[in-house]
Amino acid sequence: MIAAPPLWTAIDVAGAVGAPVAGEWTATGVSIDSRSLRPGDLFVALRGPNFDGHAFIADAVAKGAVAAVVDRVPDGMSCDVPLIEVGDTLVALTALGRASVERATARIAAITGSVGKTGTKEALRHCLERQAPTVANIGNLNNHIGVPLSLARMPADATYGVFEIGMNSPGEIGALSRLVRPNVAVITTVAAVHVAAFDSIHDVAEEKSAIFEGIRPDGVAILNRENAFFPYLNDVARSHGVRTVIGFGAHPEADARLVDCTVEPTSTAVSAIIDGSAICYRIGLSGRHHALNSLAVLAAAKAIGADIGAAAVALGDLTACIGRGRRHIVPVAGGAVTVIDDSYNASPVSMRAALSTLNATQPGAGGRRIAALGDMLELGSDSARLHVALAESLTENEVDLVFAAGTEMAHLYGSLPQAMKGGYAKDSSALVDDLVSSLAGGDVIIVKGSHGSRMDIVVDALTALASPGARIANGR
């Protein structure tokens, strides 16, 4: 086994967090979870509302932690590794992330947006890491804990860094942007997502625009040219000293402009003009929304110094993440069903994009297009109307049958024609049996809902049908 390269020394960490040097050691990683810690990691004992990492220091040591950052030593604990004592472990983790950025030579892209930020981050990471050493957030570690943790894991000699920045309430994005200090800042779009924490969608746009607070003097902004807030975001970027603003989308004035795209069941062919040059490429994901976001990816790749042609080629073998469009084939009576797992999150914008993807997927002989939908959360007082409004998109995309779960989805389900109603339940787990028993060979089903609606339970039940010895669905 090849040993992991050194990441932090005892002296480095002490200097970063403002603590005395404790022992002599070198860490090859940083962890805040003893369950996933790897030998050689530095363990940071964070406190949370439901846990205290100090209770797991012994577990971390047993798994191979070389040292631990703590704000107290648990009573009666004798430790075989150095303890770096600080006033607040989250402040220390943030300081470690800041020190990582300060010593790094990497060019960094930061990505935010109401929808599409994780997919865009993963696509850009995918393209860049094929050209040079690249680091990015794992999954959606995009908050006040995940971003500094991801930064602390960035090797000093990385060429590129790609960091997703999320938010649930005002003030989060600016602080994280000042920590990341990006060379390139991408806003995928501004839409009615997480509006429950804001007074208006303009306030959401204002929060997203805070990504420019940390941008470097030579920074580049990449914005959705089709979004209604483009003029506002452009002005804010300019006010922070950004000289280069790149608009992407199908808008005729977009610098990275979609000319045409052909959506196929498992991929999308794209024709575009980027900075005046024509380019054609294929994305390994199905959907016009992926074609649009790929323009932001290629624009960011060029702005960060990568080869845009090689990046476009890399998009061809891009695969969907778990819960974000990954496909499964599962057996049922009379054949098989295609399951599109888009269960990780949902908003009105992403719901419509998902239903468009379902429409582009041709069912097998005798099969139907089926949507299993969970609540879209954090939509505030307009939630009921936004759920009901999905009925039009269901019809436009030729969805045959709808299964719905949750109190908010009840508004949509009650508005549907009887022929489209497949079943309703108060939560995702209660929906499973009726849904599974209704499936038949040739069906295509997309599963989507906000993370809190737990539509992943439905996906797990469907994919379990492919397990040896699983019960085969009875079908119609």
Side-chain angles (χ1 to χ4, degrees), residues 40-216:
D41 280 355
L42 168 67
F43 179 65
V44 182
L46 297 182
R47 299 176 186 269
N50 302 312
F51 67 90
D52 183 351
H54 294 78
F56 303 99
I57 295 172
D59 292 341
V61 172
K63 287 202 172 177
V66 295
V69 178
V70 301
D71 57 38
R72 67 179 178 87
V73 179
D75 293 339
M77 190 187 91
S78 60
C79 196
D80 295 332
V81 301
L83 299 180
I84 302 97
E85 296 192 52
V86 297
D88 185 308
T89 51
L90 180 55
V91 171
L93 178 63
T94 303
L96 199 62
R98 183 176 297 108
S100 181
V101 173
E102 290 174 351
R103 72 179 184 178
T105 58
R107 288 182 59 81
I108 295 174
I111 300 171
T112 194
S114 296
V115 294
K117 56 185 175 292
T118 300
T120 302
K121 178 262 296 184
E122 285 298 314
L124 183 56
R125 175 199 59 77
H126 176 86
C127 292
L128 294 178
E129 70 182 8
R130 279 156 175 70
Q131 300 188 37
T134 301
V135 65
N137 324 59
I138 297 173
N140 70 325
L141 289 174
N142 63 10
N143 64 5
H144 66 291
I145 296 174
V147 171
L149 174 63
S150 299
L151 291 172
R153 291 169 167 171
M154 178 168 61
D157 60 351
T159 303
Y160 301 119
V162 184
F163 299 100
E164 174 186 344
I165 297 178
M167 64 91 182
N168 286 301
S169 57
E172 294 180 280
I173 289 180
L176 293 176
S177 175
R178 293 191 297 273
L179 184 64
V180 173
R181 296 180 57 222
N183 302 96
V184 177
V186 181
I187 302 179
T188 58
T189 194
V190 175
V193 181
H194 298 306
V195 292
F198 296 86
D199 292 332
S200 70
I201 190 171
H202 187 278
D203 291 338
V204 175
E206 184 176 1
E207 176 66 16
K208 296 299 182 185
S209 73
I211 196 171
F212 303 125
E213 291 183 11
I215 199 163
R216 301 191 189 214

Side-chain angles (χ1 to χ4, degrees), residues 183 212 215-221 234 236-246:
N183 302 96
F212 303 125
I215 199 163
R216 301 191 189 214
D218 62 343
V220 175
N234 178 62
V236 176
R238 302 286 185 187
S239 73
H240 283 284
V242 176
R243 296 180 181 178
T244 303
V245 175
I246 298 172

